[in-house]
Amino acid sequence: MKRSEHAATVVARLATDLFQAEASQDEAVNQLGRLAQSLTRSRRESGLSATVGQAAFDALADAVTAQIGAQRAMVVLHEALADVKRNTSFRGVQMGGLEKDGEPYPRPTGLALVS
């Protein structure tokens, strides 16, 4: 295998794993949003006071905060990998996705407005 082919294989594998990890984190945030909706709906449908189960909501808020922090760390990781690619022999490998321009990419979310 040529050196350039090997480099392309390494970058492609890393990019695939990175994008899958990012997608998993997006899905985790999505699921936490669904859980928030379910907790709210379940409490309301059960006729429980807003004070009942507040500890569960507080714990969920902590989980959301932690997940958003993990997403922030993934952004830093993404940028660090792009720097590695730019500053090594991998810079010549044409592989989209590791370098992002300043434009945010829209990501589908499953979150819905809770009334």
Side-chain angles (χ1 to χ4, degrees):
M1 178 180 284
K2 290 184 191 178
R3 187 177 189 140
S4 62
E5 291 172 352
H6 177 68
T9 299
V10 168
V11 171
R13 181 184 61 233
L14 185 56
T16 297
D17 291 345
L18 176 64
F19 297 147
Q20 287 177 348
E22 289 174 339
S24 294
Q25 288 193 311
D26 287 345
E27 182 58 24
V29 171
N30 187 26
Q31 292 299 324
L32 288 169
R34 287 184 186 160
L35 179 56
Q37 290 176 336
S38 183
L39 284 173
T40 302
R41 184 175 44 248
S42 297
R43 183 167 65 181
R44 186 177 56 237
E45 289 173 356
S46 299
L48 299 173
S49 162
T51 61
V52 174
Q54 187 58 45
F57 283 94
D58 292 342
L60 178 60
D62 291 343
V64 170
T65 299
Q67 188 59 48
I68 298 301
Q71 282 187 310
R72 187 177 306 109
M74 285 300 293
V75 169
V76 173
L77 171 61
H78 198 114
E79 292 168 353
L81 287 172
D83 285 344
V84 168
K85 183 176 181 289
R86 259 190 309 277
N87 297 317
T88 65
S89 61
F90 292 104
R91 70 182 159 271
V93 177
Q94 295 299 313
M95 186 66 65
L98 284 181
E99 299 90 2
K100 302 274 181 162
D101 58 19
E103 297 298 314
Y105 290 87
R107 293 184 183 245
T109 64
L111 300 179
L113 182 61
V114 179
S115 59

